[in-house]
């Protein structure tokens, strides 16, 4: 490789790699320190029960406020955390925080946690849940574990056995971002998921493309046939909400109802909603 591209180019290439690798290593050091320095926190985005017209759940979403780079989006640091293995201690922090939050809020509200494939390879994972649930006296049925299709792509047997242990504890297991992965349908044969989250990319065109109504409708019907409940992700407009309501999805999540909120704001949001007797929709939608 070095000889073919000539001396000069190789030096250039190495230098670029060096800078990128160094930046990545610095970022990794920062991320390692972030937990101890209270730079990471969770926000909670409401999930609406469509028939009952009320918030019955929420999804915990990680946020990192970097002292120099500002708010780093999860799409940028989760990958780094996975590759460096930092996702394991970080994920344990998420689990403990979420179970503690569940003990503090209305018991009618479930909380979903995103769990990465790397975490599912760790045999200690079920124990982390059990310990937190026991300590805070939380019903495991209120905690949902969201996994993406990529979990079942690699190390299937090991991952599946840990996933089964999580279900045996009484946790609910959801398949996240359904339809975006590789051969999505085959995953439905591998594990009996409790819930299927229909990816935002299918929900987004609902108010302008008639064929997307057929696609979301078919996914919903498939989930029904397999005894799964369904969530429409990324509902931003009243027309999209109307479409997923007619299709018959069980729950909806998206900016139309609420952005991810701090725990205090979530509690206030649910209280307001209970007082008004119906979910609030943002005018922006
Ligand atoms: P996800 O699990 O599919 O989470 C939903 C994402 O969609 C969130 O982005 C949420 O803020 C965003 N969203 C919700 N409603 C709307 C909407 O109406 N419109 C639009 N445009 N977006 C909407 P976020 O918070 O940036 O998270 C991105 C991804 O990062 C998540 O996707 C999840 O895969 C991952 N992630 C977040 N927190 C954690 C965590 O604690 N652990 C792990 N392993 N992954 C996490
Ligand atoms: Mg999710
Ligand atoms: Mg999702
Ligand atoms: Mg998605």
């Amino acid at each position: 490789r070095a000889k073919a591209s000539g001396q000069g180019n190789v030096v250039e290439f190495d230098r670029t790699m060096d800078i990128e690798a160094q930046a990545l290593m610095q970022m990794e050091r920062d991320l390692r320190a972030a937990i101890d320095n209270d730079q990471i926190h969770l926000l909670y985005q409401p999930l609406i029960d469509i028939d009952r017209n009320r918030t019955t759940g929420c999804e915990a979403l990680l946020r990192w406020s970097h002292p120099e780079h500002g708010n780093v989006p999860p799409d940028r640091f989760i990958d780094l955390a996975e590759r460096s293995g930092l996702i394991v201690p970080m994920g344990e922090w998420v689990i403990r925080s979420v179970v503690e939050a569940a003990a503090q809020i209305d018991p009618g509200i479930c909380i979903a946690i995103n769990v990465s494939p790397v975490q599912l390879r760790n045999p200690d994972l079920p124990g982390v849940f059990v310990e937190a649930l026991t300590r805070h006296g939380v019903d495991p049925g209120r905690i949902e574990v969201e996994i993406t299709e990529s979990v079942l792509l690699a190390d299937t047997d090991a991952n599946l056995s840990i996933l089964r242990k999580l279900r045996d504890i009484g946790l609910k297991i959801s398949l996240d971002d359904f339809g975006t992965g590789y051969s999505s349908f085959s995953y439905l044969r591998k594990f009996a998921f409790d819930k299927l989250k229909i990816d935002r990319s299918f929900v987004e065109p609902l108010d302008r493309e008639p064929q997307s109504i057929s696609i979301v409708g078919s996914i919903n019907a498939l989930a029904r046939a397999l005894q799964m409940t369904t969530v429409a992700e990324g509902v931003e407009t009243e027309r999209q909400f109307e479409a997923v309501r007619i299709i018959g999805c069980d729950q909806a999540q998206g900016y139309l109802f609420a952005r991810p909120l701090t725990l205090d704001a979530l509690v206030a949001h649910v209280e307001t909603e209970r007082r008004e007797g119906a979910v609030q929709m943002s005018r922006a939608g």
Side-chain angles (χ1 to χ4, degrees):
R1 182 180 63 176
K3 273 181 187 136
S5 46
Q7 285 302 83
N9 287 341
V10 172
V11 175
E12 283 285 285
F13 177 73
D14 283 350
R15 210 170 269 154
T16 319
M17 282 306 286
D18 212 42
I19 291 164
E20 272 179 25
Q22 275 182 28
L24 212 62
M25 275 164 63
Q26 184 56 50
M27 193 84 150
E28 190 184 317
R29 276 195 293 272
D30 292 351
L31 192 56
R32 203 175 287 275
I35 307 181
D36 300 327
N37 300 338
D38 289 332
Q39 289 167 13
I40 62 166
H41 65 277
L42 290 165
L43 294 181
Y44 298 86
Q45 186 178 33
L47 266 77
I48 309 310
D49 180 303
I50 299 177
D51 281 345
R52 293 168 65 204
N53 194 31
R54 63 195 291 167
T55 299
T56 53
C58 60
E59 177 176 5
L61 295 160
L62 257 179
R63 294 293 178 264
W64 180 17
S65 5
H66 190 284
E68 287 132 51
H69 305 305
N71 296 326
V72 186
D75 290 331
R76 278 184 50 210
F77 71 84
I78 299 286
D79 184 58
L80 175 65
E82 286 177 340
R83 278 184 290 142
S84 60
L86 273 175
I87 194 74
V88 171
M90 190 175 288
E92 290 179 3
W93 178 86
V94 170
I95 292 164
R96 294 194 183 102
S97 307
V98 162
V99 173
E100 192 181 341
Q104 290 168 26
I105 64 174
D106 182 334
I109 306 282
C110 298
I111 311 186
I113 304 184
N114 292 285
V115 168
S116 108
V118 179
Q119 289 175 271
L120 267 198
R121 261 180 245 139
N122 176 9
D124 297 337
L125 184 69
V128 175
F129 274 103
V130 171
E131 199 193 286
L133 290 163
T134 310
R135 171 174 312 163
H136 297 287
V138 170
D139 170 10
R142 286 179 61 206
I143 306 293
E144 300 173 357
V145 173
E146 293 191 3
I147 62 151
T148 54
E149 294 166 343
S150 61
V151 161
L152 304 180
L153 207 64
D155 301 325
T156 302
D157 288 345
N159 284 344
L160 280 182
S161 88
I162 300 207
L163 210 52
R164 283 193 201 96
K165 285 195 181 120
L166 297 182
R167 196 190 27 210
D168 291 345
I169 293 168
L171 302 164
K172 296 275 184 288
I173 316 291
S174 308
L175 187 52
D176 202 357
D177 302 344
F178 182 77
T180 54
Y182 213 61
S183 70
S184 303
F185 287 100
S186 67
Y187 301 120
L188 298 176
R189 287 173 44 226
K190 293 186 183 165
F191 191 82
F193 292 94
D194 297 290
K195 188 184 266 192
L196 190 146
K197 299 192 78 174
I198 304 168
D199 191 66
R200 184 164 67 87
S201 57
F202 298 107
V203 173
E204 193 270 323
L206 275 177
D207 49 13
R208 50 188 167 79
E209 285 173 11
Q211 64 269 39
S212 63
I213 298 182
S214 306
I215 296 173
V216 175
S218 303
I219 296 174
N220 195 68
L222 174 72
R224 280 279 167 284
L226 295 172
Q227 274 88 47
M228 287 182 272
T229 59
T230 53
V231 187
E233 291 191 297
V235 175
E236 295 184 353
T237 70
E238 298 202 18
R239 290 181 70 181
Q240 290 163 349
F241 183 40
E242 182 64 3
V244 300
R245 199 182 58 74
I246 291 168
I247 286 167
C249 295
D250 297 296
Q251 289 183 308
Q253 175 180 6
Y255 296 167
L256 176 63
F257 313 103
R259 300 232 165 202
L261 307 167
T262 62
L263 187 60
D264 287 347
L266 176 83
V267 169
H269 181 87
V270 171
E271 275 170 10
T272 307
E273 183 187 293
R274 300 292 192 254
R275 214 168 34 240
E276 310 269 328
V279 298
Q280 308 298 296
M281 284 186 229
S282 83
R283 287 291 103 205

